[in-house]
Amino acid sequence: MTLPPLREVIARHGLSASKALGQNFLFDEHLLDRIARVPGDLAGQRVLEVGPGPGGLTRALLRAGAEVTAIEMDRRCLPALAELGEAFPGKLTVVEGDALKIDHGTLMQGEPFAVVANLPYNVGTALLVRWLESPQWPPQWTSLTLMFQLEVAQRIVAEPDTSSFGRLAVLAQWRTSAKLAMKVHRSAFTPPPKVMSAVVHVTPDEAPEGVRAAKLSQVTEAAFGQRRKMLRQSLKGLPGAVEAAEALGIDTARRAETLSVDEFVALARCLSA
Ligand code: SAM
């Protein structure tokens, strides 16, 4: 199927990139096809795309055989997306709205779905946290394929004893596998952002037994709230936490960034009991 070049679609619909909406568009169809391959074979799979904009990534997902539901806030993009829907009859549903205010599970009618999105930094991080904190586990989403600034992507996949390791890494890794799938040069975007980007791929794992997510969140908040301090100081504000660390044989002279994800999970389990 031949689709008009994305630059022509943008020009015809007057879609100048809005800074307020964090719009940096991707036009390179080879790159878009590579991103659409990150989640694996999408033929016949349901995909939730957030922030399709003029539809570059959307057309790559449709070409891969996915059934796409897309949430877009900028109504200027809707006619271009409607045109794309006509080229793939019955395969694209577009919902106008703010993805932060929409219940994705209901929108996807309770069925499993893969998430694929190239979003502004703040919205992408807020949605990632929401998907990772899903009360239902395994979650309704089967994978997350998300574009971030490289620095944020590195914080998601970070290993202990690195400066990027923090709350986001623990939240991402305690019951999912998170990988940096590919780096994307800033020049691939129109307009180019100031920094480099990367695609992160997240898949759910089995959740460790006996740990409440809210407790893990409290532990990481306390520990990384004062990341330069020793645990015996940073965990002071959380009742029982210093004693729990000692009972687990975790040296409280250590700093938060030296603990493994498993050690954070053990601490949270102890405090959840
Ligand atoms: N996916 C397109 C691409 O790769 O070329 C556009 C990417 S652009 C970085 C981000 C898109 O997300 C924009 O179209 C913007 O209007 C949309 N967007 C921003 N905040 C949103 C929100 N809260 N809910 C839904 N869409 C949003």
Side-chain angles (χ1 to χ4, degrees):
M1 171 158 336
T2 321
L3 292 165
L6 280 158
R7 284 184 195 280
E8 189 208 300
V9 173
I10 303 261
R12 196 157 33 84
H13 293 280
L15 299 176
S16 52
S18 148
K19 218 175 171 182
L21 285 170
Q23 290 179 334
N24 302 93
F25 300 136
L26 290 169
F27 294 140
D28 178 342
E29 307 250 0
H30 292 291
L31 174 66
L32 289 161
D33 284 333
R34 276 178 62 210
I35 297 172
R37 279 198 294 272
V38 169
D41 185 5
L42 289 179
Q45 303 287 315
R46 298 201 67 185
V47 169
L48 173 65
E49 188 195 359
V50 185
L57 187 51
T58 321
R59 52 166 77 182
L61 295 167
L62 291 165
R63 268 196 297 263
E67 282 180 32
V68 181
T69 301
I71 308 174
E72 175 55 61
M73 227 176 148
D74 183 357
R75 59 168 50 203
R76 294 179 311 152
C77 298
L78 302 186
L81 293 167
E83 256 176 39
L84 187 56
E86 280 165 27
F88 292 88
K91 300 291 179 195
L92 174 62
T93 306
V94 179
V95 178
E96 184 196 345
D98 180 348
L100 292 166
K101 296 191 181 142
I102 291 174
D103 179 340
H104 306 148
T106 309
L107 179 66
M108 303 306 280
Q109 295 146 328
E111 285 178 34
F113 59 93
V115 176
V116 183
N118 170 24
L119 276 167
Y121 155 72
N122 52 344
V123 182
T125 313
L127 285 174
L128 171 70
V129 168
R130 180 162 141 191
W131 285 316
L132 292 173
E133 287 182 342
S134 167
Q136 172 192 337
W137 208 267
Q140 199 178 325
W141 52 268
T142 51
S143 69
L144 309 173
T145 302
L146 306 172
M147 180 84 76
F148 286 103
Q149 301 178 205
L150 179 58
E151 179 261 327
V152 177
Q154 284 166 336
R155 285 203 278 131
I156 296 165
V157 303
E159 296 194 1
D161 264 328
T162 62
S163 57
S164 302
F165 188 69
R167 290 195 76 192
L168 201 50
V170 178
L171 176 64
Q173 296 171 30
W174 76 285
R175 54 180 182 176
T176 73
S177 299
K179 289 189 186 66
L180 201 155
M182 58 193 272
K183 291 187 184 173
V184 181
H185 197 272
R186 47 187 289 281
S187 62
F189 298 87
T190 302
K194 289 201 177 72
V195 292
M196 306 291 268
S197 296
V199 175
V200 172
H201 184 57
V202 179
T203 49
D205 292 331
E206 218 171 286
E209 294 274 317
V211 184
R212 283 197 282 123
K215 201 46 92 179
L216 184 68
S217 177
Q218 279 180 354
V219 173
T220 53
E221 191 180 352
F224 288 107
Q226 305 180 62
R227 63 182 295 142
R228 300 262 142 240
K229 299 243 166 85
M230 289 187 245
L231 290 171
R232 68 169 70 111
Q233 178 64 31
S234 59
L235 291 180
K236 235 182 196 168
L238 191 60
V242 175
E243 295 75 10
E246 282 163 355
L248 289 164
I250 297 171
D251 180 358
T252 55
R254 287 167 66 190
R255 288 186 295 150
E257 69 194 38
T258 70
L259 262 62
S260 66
V261 174
D262 284 348
E263 284 176 313
F264 276 110
V265 166
L267 255 177
R269 183 182 288 115
C270 227
L271 292 168
S272 301

